Amino acid sequence: MNQDERYMRTAIEMAQATEGQTSPNPAVGAVVVKDGEVLGMGAHLKAGHAHAEVHALNMAGSHAEGATIYVTLEPCSHHGKTPPCADRIVEAGIKRAVIATLDPNPQVAGRGVEKLKQAGIEVVTNVLKEQADDLNEVFYHYISTKIPYVTLKNAMSLDGKIATVTGESQWITGEKARADVHQDRHKHDAILVGVNTVIKDQPRLTTRLPDGGKNPVRIVLDTHLRTPVETPLIQNPDAPTWLVAGNNVSEEQREKYKAFPHVDILTVASSHVTVEEALHLLGEKGITSIYVEGGATVNDAFLRSGSVQQVITYIAPKMIGGQDAPTPVGGQGIKALKEALNLHIKEVVHIGNDLKIVSKPNR
Ligand SMILES: Nc1c(/N=C/[C@H](O)[C@H](O)[C@H](O)COP(=O)(O)O)[nH]c(=O)[nH]c1=O
């Protein structure tokens, strides 16, 4: 690994630490170096706050003159919520800029680099591009489609069951795997389940980590507003709860949720909620990423609609058996194997006694 990659790796690692908290902005890291000495470093911490380059340049102060800056994403050139970083880099007297990847945002693509070059700064791009792009898959997807990036999460036994024939499911995976689920919940803007899961599991869908964590918006696909008022999602206001219903739900059906200010009812344009319409509606409301936690009917609908960017499967070393015990994906299924959804496995990790497999649909 050469010098540039070494410092870019540091910038990427800083950005990785902020994953999930910068939404709807990308996670970005920056390092300022001169004569082999790190003079400043920083990451974008929260939308609306200073960008990574600003933190690193503030730390370097006047020593930034003649230095090199490493940034994981092309510096912004437009006035967003904060002044353009490209101008800030020029003002600081930076001599050389190493950038991992260009910004996919149409407002920015290539303009930041152009500004730096016009000011006589030497610019190097595509250093550790792939690692930097992996950081902001959600951001790229949402900025170009305005549709939330969807992660489908399942937890099952070795023989592929998500519960016993009597519906008992808690718990199949162990403490460590379930804590990992909460880490992933924290990274997402929203968690989504179907109303049948709400009725069966009575889930809380909050992020319960030892040192806290962000509670995503809790979304229920619920065409006829069957979510029981007594369920934790309605009773406890730990996070907003949005019920996505069809457009013919009656005023009386809506009435029962009026006593809960954290509950909102979103209606799609037709009588039955489809995945496509729900995603379009949620994208319009600024939801950039959704963690879908089932159940089997919802999983099937998401997969059939081609709206899943990532599948996370936890497998516990248990055998449950029972031909009627439920499996992760319901629906009609396919007749011929050639119709199967093909994915590629990105990662397999042991977590406690369980396995976590991250896979992505082949495009
Ligand atoms: N049954 C299992 C899971 N079951 C996941 C179901 O969606 C379950 O209803 C919710 O996770 C419950 O949410 P909450 O804890 O109340 O916030 N998920 C897992 O990772 N492992 C399992 O064993």
Side-chain angles (χ1 to χ4, degrees):
M1 179 181 295
N2 65 36
Q3 197 81 310
D4 281 352
E5 287 175 348
R6 200 159 67 81
Y7 292 123
M8 188 59 80
R9 174 160 302 291
T10 304
I12 287 173
E13 279 162 3
M14 276 192 294
Q16 278 168 334
T18 68
E19 205 179 351
Q21 65 183 67
T22 61
S23 175
N25 287 357
V28 186
V31 179
V32 174
V33 181
K34 187 156 70 175
D35 305 330
E37 186 188 355
V38 174
L39 301 174
M41 53 198 333
H44 180 46
L45 301 176
K46 198 173 176 61
H49 292 209
H51 286 187
E53 303 91 315
V54 173
H55 287 304
L57 288 171
N58 287 347
M59 200 184 285
S62 58
H63 301 293
E65 179 78 32
T68 295
I69 189 166
Y70 295 85
V71 198
T72 58
L73 182 64
E74 178 179 12
C76 60
S77 64
H78 65 288
H79 277 269
K81 296 186 188 109
T82 54
C85 293
D87 300 342
R88 181 77 174 74
I89 289 171
V90 172
E91 281 157 30
I94 286 289
K95 182 184 68 171
R96 184 168 177 266
V98 182
I99 294 164
T101 187
L102 297 188
D103 195 307
N105 182 340
Q107 278 187 313
V108 185
R111 289 195 205 154
V113 166
E114 209 35 56
K115 250 186 186 179
L116 299 180
K117 285 180 174 172
Q118 276 165 11
I121 294 175
E122 179 200 347
V123 179
V124 177
T125 56
N126 298 334
V127 174
L128 298 188
K129 174 178 170 43
E130 198 183 321
Q131 291 89 319
D133 285 344
D134 279 353
L135 258 181
N136 289 311
E137 253 186 295
V138 167
F139 173 71
Y140 293 158
H141 176 85
Y142 182 72
I143 200 92
S144 47
T145 63
K146 286 290 178 259
I147 298 287
Y149 179 98
V150 172
T151 295
L152 200 65
K153 169 257 171 183
N154 299 303
M156 64 187 193
S157 60
L158 269 184
D159 58 333
K161 311 293 186 185
I162 60 171
T164 66
V165 286
T166 62
E168 188 182 0
S169 67
Q170 295 177 2
W171 294 98
I172 293 171
T173 53
E175 286 275 316
K176 289 197 172 79
R178 295 205 312 275
D180 190 69
V181 166
H182 285 247
Q183 271 298 344
D184 283 340
R185 286 182 173 180
H186 162 78
K187 291 177 188 170
H188 284 79
D189 289 350
I191 302 180
L192 183 147
V193 291
V195 60
N196 293 334
T197 291
V198 173
I199 294 169
K200 190 168 54 66
D201 289 353
Q202 299 294 322
R204 287 171 284 173
L205 300 185
T206 50
T207 298
R208 301 185 298 278
L209 289 168
D211 50 359
K214 181 187 74 191
N215 282 336
V217 172
R218 303 175 294 189
I219 295 166
V220 184
L221 296 191
D222 187 2
T223 294
H224 306 298
L225 288 183
R226 290 187 295 125
T227 297
V229 168
E230 307 70 31
T231 198
L233 296 185
I234 305 295
Q235 289 300 317
N236 89 29
D238 294 358
T241 295
W242 296 354
L243 308 180
V244 183
N247 64 357
N248 60 2
V249 289
S250 67
E251 200 36 49
E252 184 213 346
Q253 282 172 302
R254 290 163 175 273
E255 197 55 39
K256 58 182 184 274
Y257 303 109
K258 283 226 170 36
F260 306 94
H262 72 287
V263 178
D264 278 312
I265 296 168
L266 315 181
T267 46
V268 292
S270 53
S271 58
H272 188 81
V273 176
T274 63
V275 168
E276 291 83 352
E277 284 180 297
L279 288 177
H280 183 75
L281 196 56
L282 295 167
E284 280 180 342
K285 291 191 70 85
I287 299 290
T288 68
S289 61
I290 297 182
Y291 190 63
V292 176
E293 289 209 47
T297 311
V298 162
N299 287 348
D300 176 58
F302 267 86
L303 291 167
R304 270 186 300 105
S305 69
S307 314
V308 174
Q309 280 69 48
Q310 176 177 246
V311 176
I312 295 181
T313 309
Y314 292 89
I315 301 183
K318 285 187 174 75
M319 300 295 261
I320 292 179
Q323 64 181 32
D324 298 335
T327 58
V329 182
Q332 299 303 315
I334 57 173
K335 298 206 174 20
L337 265 181
K338 68 176 185 315
E339 296 161 38
L341 173 72
N342 291 301
L343 303 96
H344 54 282
I345 292 178
K346 293 284 285 186
E347 188 187 21
V348 181
V349 288
H350 278 275
I351 302 186
N353 299 324
D354 305 313
L355 267 191
K356 175 181 187 180
I357 300 172
V358 180
S359 52
K360 294 198 168 131
N362 295 343
R363 283 287 166 245

